[in-house]
Amino acid sequence: MDRYRINPGQAVNLAQWDPADRSEFEGDKDAGRLATKELNNRMEELQELLYAEGKHKILIVLQAMDSGGKDGTIRHVFDGTNPQGVKVASFKKPTEKELAHDYLWRIHRATPGTGEITIFNRSHYEDVLVVRVHNLVPPEVWGRRYDHINAFEQMLADEGTTILKFYLHISKDEQKKRLQARLDEPHKRWKFAKGDLAERERWHEYIEAFEAMLSKTSTVAAPWYVIPADRKWYRNLVISKILVRTLDNLDMHYPEPEDDLAGIIIE
Ligand code: ATP
Ligand code: MG
């Protein structure tokens, strides 16, 4: 899975990253789904342990083009985990109150506490993506945000947060199929936003913004992974594997029980 991780400062040309890659798994789609189910079971155990131990904080950041699969990833990768310990924070267009503050204000308050996993569905990275593409602030303002973000994430890591960031990489063709399906299938139509078509026209500008984000903000403390996301099952499998491996490496333990429980008889 390390092949999907961006090293600090690594130049990223997304044209060289195949959105349909599946080279880390030998089996077919059904086998891949089964493998993810098994990882879900392990994930459930690890999340319970994380919650019980109450020592670590886990932050997962998801970014993608529209229809890139952020929602589906959350549904499948965290299937079976306990909602008490897993939170999702979705960041939409900032409100007036949020805009009256610095761009990290709404982000910091949503970060995980001990024992928690928090998934960011979009994040502070919108402030160097949509904001950059649409010139919502001048280049000198968004340009210095990469350094702020690295410092902010380093601080979170220093204070005990494990951070993993996933860019879900889909092709322009795959986005076309998914947007078309949202139009064609009645139960998906609520997801169709005409505005997504205007964003699609800026595909290349978004790719440039993603490339800058990936090479400037992948750090040892908070690495980015480029996840091949044209195949949903492969996307879920790869992310599940990375998460399970990361949680396994935390070497967590259940808290010591109270003393002298052995002789207790419950009447
Ligand atoms: P998604 O598309 O992620 O599944 P959604 O369809 O439920 O979510 P949308 O309203 O389409 O919700 O997405 C949120 C919108 O808010 C996106 O267009 C995103 O670019 C925008 N947004 C998020 N953060 C910011 C920001 N800091 N500044 C400007 N726009 C932002
Ligand atoms: Mg949307």
Side-chain angles (χ1 to χ4, degrees), residues 119-188:
I119 305 146
F120 279 2
N121 179 356
R122 302 186 189 267
S123 66
H124 41 305
Y125 286 100
E126 293 292 327
D127 293 285
V128 290
L129 292 168
V130 63
V131 167
R132 167 177 165 153
V133 168
H134 285 276
N135 299 308
L136 299 182
V137 298
E140 61 272 23
V141 174
W142 59 253
R144 56 188 182 223
R145 290 182 173 171
Y146 300 99
D147 287 343
H148 300 157
I149 289 173
N150 287 338
F152 169 66
E153 292 179 354
Q154 184 67 55
M155 182 278 289
L156 293 178
D158 290 346
E159 296 288 323
T161 305
T162 301
I163 306 171
L164 293 169
K165 304 182 294 198
F166 300 107
Y167 162 63
L168 312 181
H169 185 40
I170 58 165
S171 62
K172 202 173 175 193
D173 270 355
E174 180 63 22
Q175 188 192 52
K176 182 177 180 179
K177 283 186 203 148
R178 292 185 188 182
L179 293 177
Q180 189 64 51
R182 288 181 181 184
L183 274 180
D184 295 344
E185 297 172 35
H187 69 281
K188 287 189 179 169

Side-chain angles (χ1 to χ4, degrees), residues 68-266:
K70 299 189 304 311
D71 292 346
T73 298
I74 296 168
R75 247 184 304 122
H76 288 100
V77 171
F78 295 91
D79 191 14
T81 54
N82 183 348
Q84 268 207 110
V86 181
K87 293 187 176 155
V88 179
S90 297
F91 295 97
K92 308 273 181 183
K93 262 174 97 158
T95 62
E96 215 171 301
K97 186 168 180 189
E98 286 167 348
L99 278 176
H101 293 77
D102 67 86
Y103 66 99
L104 291 174
W105 180 73
R106 65 174 182 164
I107 304 295
H108 196 183
R109 59 201 294 176
T111 54
T114 46
E116 287 175 355
I117 299 177
T118 298
I119 305 146
F120 279 2
N121 179 356
R122 302 186 189 267
S123 66
H124 41 305
Y125 286 100
E126 293 292 327
D127 293 285
V128 290
L129 292 168
V130 63
V131 167
R132 167 177 165 153
V133 168
H134 285 276
N135 299 308
L136 299 182
V137 298
E140 61 272 23
V141 174
W142 59 253
R144 56 188 182 223
R145 290 182 173 171
Y146 300 99
D147 287 343
H148 300 157
I149 289 173
N150 287 338
F152 169 66
E153 292 179 354
Q154 184 67 55
M155 182 278 289
L156 293 178
D158 290 346
E159 296 288 323
T161 305
T162 301
I163 306 171
L164 293 169
K165 304 182 294 198
F166 300 107
Y167 162 63
L168 312 181
H169 185 40
I170 58 165
S171 62
K172 202 173 175 193
D173 270 355
E174 180 63 22
Q175 188 192 52
K176 182 177 180 179
K177 283 186 203 148
R178 292 185 188 182
L179 293 177
Q180 189 64 51
R182 288 181 181 184
L183 274 180
D184 295 344
E185 297 172 35
H187 69 281
K188 287 189 179 169
R189 218 165 275 158
W190 66 275
K191 271 203 160 193
F192 189 85
K194 284 190 201 148
D196 290 354
L197 299 182
E199 299 312 298
R200 179 173 164 78
E201 282 177 24
R202 297 175 186 256
W203 182 272
H204 189 66
E205 290 162 77
Y206 271 104
I207 289 287
E208 278 178 356
F210 278 117
E211 288 172 343
M213 170 194 88
L214 290 165
S215 46
K216 289 175 192 279
T217 63
S218 198
T219 59
V220 174
W224 272 111
Y225 292 83
V226 175
I227 304 296
D230 273 6
R231 291 185 173 86
K232 295 172 182 174
W233 67 267
Y234 189 73
R235 169 200 78 200
N236 296 337
L237 177 62
V238 169
I239 295 178
S240 295
K241 271 196 182 172
I242 294 169
L243 283 178
V244 164
R245 187 186 63 180
T246 304
L247 292 178
D248 263 329
N249 285 342
L250 291 179
D251 190 27
M252 298 180 287
H253 301 280
Y254 281 103
E256 285 297 318
E258 291 182 43
D259 289 339
D260 304 327
L261 296 187
I264 293 180
I265 296 162
I266 317 258

